[in-house]
Amino acid sequence: MRTAARYDRIVATYPVRHVPSEWAAQLRPGGVLVTPWGSGLYNGVLLRLTGRGDGTAAGPVIGDSAFMWDRAQAPAAEVMDVVGDGTPTAVDRTGLDPRSVLGIEDAAFALGLLVPGARYSVGHGSGGEFTLWLADAATGSWASVDFAPHEAQFDVEQHGPRMLWREVEAAHKWWVRAGRPERTRFGVTVEPGGSRVWLDGPARPVPALAQAAQARIP
């Protein structure tokens, strides 16, 4: 599409993790942009953004939209490739049941926003045990949580500059305190400098919890 053109409707045919600001700039006032959108923890939802006529657009999640990542949008490395790149540097225990992280769709969606760059994989054992793996290819960070039935605490191992499970714990606490919001209560504002994610409206931005979680590391 030419930069000078303006459109009443833009429908993306491939999913994005970050909505390009150029798309918003190409909308006429009141024009609509519809695009699949997702993260490494929840794939995915459908955004409906409305152009404001000033090069920006904003709007909510309107439902689910399952998709396969376009090659250009796909993460650079598989989860277990990152995990195989180092030994754990931190060992801990957690009271957060990993089933509450990805087993609840609205939680998984919110955590995908709050723990950017993270992907996951699950390895199943016998008797209901499983290991949840999280990884961030950009930093080489990973975390694992071992679930066992009837246990209240679970073993955690982490590696790299990002303590991913600590970020997940902070994100899950935020989601619970926010009232366990459904994914359709979230939305995005796209501006020339990037995009902002919000809950219930632009006046309530989703916080950057990753930095706060890292600041609490001893």
Side-chain angles (χ1 to χ4, degrees):
M1 291 181 290
R2 294 171 296 176
T3 303
R6 289 295 187 95
Y7 299 89
D8 292 318
R9 186 174 181 85
I10 298 174
V11 179
T13 57
Y14 59 88
V16 295
R17 284 175 287 163
H18 305 286
V19 181
S21 58
E22 293 82 2
W23 292 0
Q26 291 166 0
L27 287 173
R28 291 192 175 102
V32 174
L33 164 62
V34 179
T35 181
W37 184 55
S39 71
L41 299 185
Y42 192 84
N43 181 5
V45 296
L46 198 64
L47 281 177
R48 187 182 189 276
L49 310 182
T50 301
R52 297 169 167 175
D54 60 356
T56 69
V61 171
I62 58 173
D64 286 333
S65 177
F67 54 77
M68 293 291 291
W69 287 110
D70 179 81
R71 180 176 296 180
Q73 291 283 332
E78 296 297 330
V79 170
M80 300 313 293
D81 291 337
V82 179
V83 171
D85 204 25
T87 57
T89 54
V91 179
D92 204 350
R93 299 270 285 173
T94 182
L96 176 59
D97 190 327
R99 295 175 299 178
S100 300
V101 172
L102 297 173
I104 300 173
E105 291 184 339
D106 289 325
F109 172 78
L111 269 59
L113 300 177
L114 294 163
V115 189
R119 298 184 69 201
Y120 77 95
S121 182
V122 179
H124 294 277
S126 60
E129 298 93 349
F130 68 85
T131 297
L132 170 64
W133 301 91
L134 299 164
D136 169 31
T139 63
S141 303
W142 59 262
S144 67
V145 184
D146 295 326
F147 171 83
H150 314 301
E151 295 291 335
Q153 294 283 320
F154 310 99
D155 292 332
V156 177
E157 294 184 342
Q158 300 184 88
H159 170 86
R162 293 182 68 181
M163 295 288 100
L164 287 173
W165 186 253
R166 209 171 267 202
E167 291 186 32
V168 164
E169 290 177 320
H172 191 267
K173 286 179 181 178
W174 178 88
W175 181 71
V176 170
R177 289 170 181 167
R180 302 174 186 266
E182 298 177 354
R183 49 198 179 278
T184 50
R185 288 176 56 189
F186 291 86
V188 177
T189 298
V190 181
E191 301 168 319
S195 60
R196 294 181 288 110
V197 182
W198 38 260
L199 175 64
D200 295 328
R204 191 179 181 186
V206 171
L209 293 181
Q211 294 87 342
Q214 298 311 306
R216 292 196 298 272
I217 297 174

